[in-house]
Amino acid sequence: MKKQLFLLLLLACAFVTSVKADYQLERPKLVVGIVVDQMRWDYLYRYYNQFGDGGLKRLISEGYNFENMHYNYVPTVTAAGHASVYSGTTPAFHGIAGNNFHINGKKAYCCEDPNVKSVGSDSKAGMMSPRNMLVTNMCDQLRLATDFKSKVIGVSIKDRASILPAGHSANGAFWFDKSAGCFITSTYYMDELPQWVKDFNKKNRKDLNQDIAPLPIGVTLTTAMAIAALKGENLGKNPSGETDILAVSYSSTDYVGHAYGTRGEKTDEIYLTLDRELKILFNALDEQVGRGNYLLFLTADHAGCHNPKFMNDNKMPGGVWKQSAKKKELNEFYAQKYGIENIVTDFMQNQVFLDRDAIKAKKLCFNTICNEIAEKLAEDPVIVYAVPFEAVGRSSVPPAIKDRIIMGYCPNRSGDIQVIVLPGYMDNNYEKGTTHVAWNPYDTHVPFIMMGWHVDHGFTNRRVSINDIAPTVCAMLKIQMPTGSTGNVIYGD
């Protein structure tokens, strides 16, 4: 009996040893992240019957579709969105509190960096870096996990849409300098453009008198640049065998939305162009890396509201309110009351920034002034809530909105008062165009589809949040999630 037990024990140990010996770490050859600027979730189905085969239809038919993906903070804007997708957290932690915000009391652009210079042009368009982002992202974590053998490249028309996804340790991020008509980078990454970028610019340099951003050519140029990066950097064929990342963002969709709105020929044209260009990109990935060897995801940095005139013409609520006009009104009132010129230094992204130094110089209580201005704002019938950030937690703002304010607030960077307006109201042209910034589904509901390596076809309607993307990708790659990650793994659990 003892002999039999001993033999069984030996067999069990041999089995466990065999299992351990057989286990091998698997990762895709390449991760491709695609962000479509201002793409509403419902565009997937509004244009579905007009899409060709191989582009967005391929994503839907082959990928796993998270139909109920939402941003869980305000303000819903480009820089914050791109940072959140890749970092797995929100502005409260990653610090990209908007496209513009305040640093040390002064207005700052999200990626501005006076300590670097342009590479590829003589303009100031390259004085950019990711240094204002306070956390790592999934690209940084992959670089860390592979002892920096993985290669990471970011590509977009917009600087912020290339820089923030690529992360702090990227091998390169490239964006379009419209003053020079070519793609550039900054000395944060390198001192000279790679030869493949020089060759691309020589072949594709655009007329300096033409703004390509709101045109279909902006989409085609982004695809061409992404494929040039794929081949020029030999992504997915890393000599070390490690996974690479290509981060691509299509910006022209956002420019078209701002100019023409969510309906009309221009919007139709840009999304049908996007569909055709995605097919070209997917085919290039199949050829370069191999179908099934790359993990790809597509999402958006925010969505967009229907134009108010369009809504009113169809007997639905909506309208315009101007932050600039409200700023002027407040400054005139408080100049009379307290003798402070421009007590409101900025009114942007539905946030009010106050001149704290001027208030202090007048020996006034900041919290008292803040509450007073919030109360005055609330007198406007379009403004549903105006609440000082320091009082959000104890305010009467409903939890669904309150949580978004808290997750979007970054101390010393965000404004002093958050404004929530009626649904469908925006700081925009009434006649045409749109914008985005709000907590409402029209600004927060975006696509999220994964396709390729170890992804089965399917879909879910359970609600998920934008900060779930990065931890999910990291879990699939078997790497640590980013340093500020607050999301959950939502695939393969």
Side-chain angles (χ1 to χ4, degrees), residues 451-471:
M451 181 183 77
W453 183 84
H454 287 197
V455 176
D456 297 323
H457 173 59
F459 77 95
T460 179
N461 277 309
R462 68 186 173 95
R463 191 180 183 98
V464 291
S465 297
I466 205 69
N467 55 326
D468 294 331
I469 294 177

Side-chain angles (χ1 to χ4, degrees), residues 210-229:
Q210 182 185 39
D211 184 4
I212 69 162
L215 301 174
I217 192 174
V219 177
T220 59
L221 192 66
T222 301
T223 302
M225 182 63 175
I227 294 173

Side-chain angles (χ1 to χ4, degrees), residues 295-358:
L295 171 64
L296 181 145
F297 68 83
L298 179 144
T299 189
D301 56 346
H302 52 76
C305 185
H306 290 309
N307 173 264
K309 185 178 187 302
F310 167 80
M311 293 293 279
N312 295 167
D313 287 348
N314 288 280
K315 301 180 180 180
M316 285 181 273
V320 167
W321 75 292
K322 291 292 185 180
Q323 295 181 77
S324 58
K326 186 59 66 174
K327 175 185 174 183
K328 181 180 179 183
E329 176 189 321
L330 290 170
N331 280 336
E332 288 177 350
F333 180 85
Y334 285 100
Q336 290 278 335
K337 185 170 183 177
Y338 294 121
I340 299 176
E341 297 292 333
N342 300 319
I343 194 170
V344 176
T345 58
D346 279 305
F347 201 149
M348 57 185 181
Q349 300 164 165
N350 285 11
Q351 295 180 359
V352 179
F353 294 76
L354 301 180
D355 189 338
R356 289 176 175 251
D357 290 338

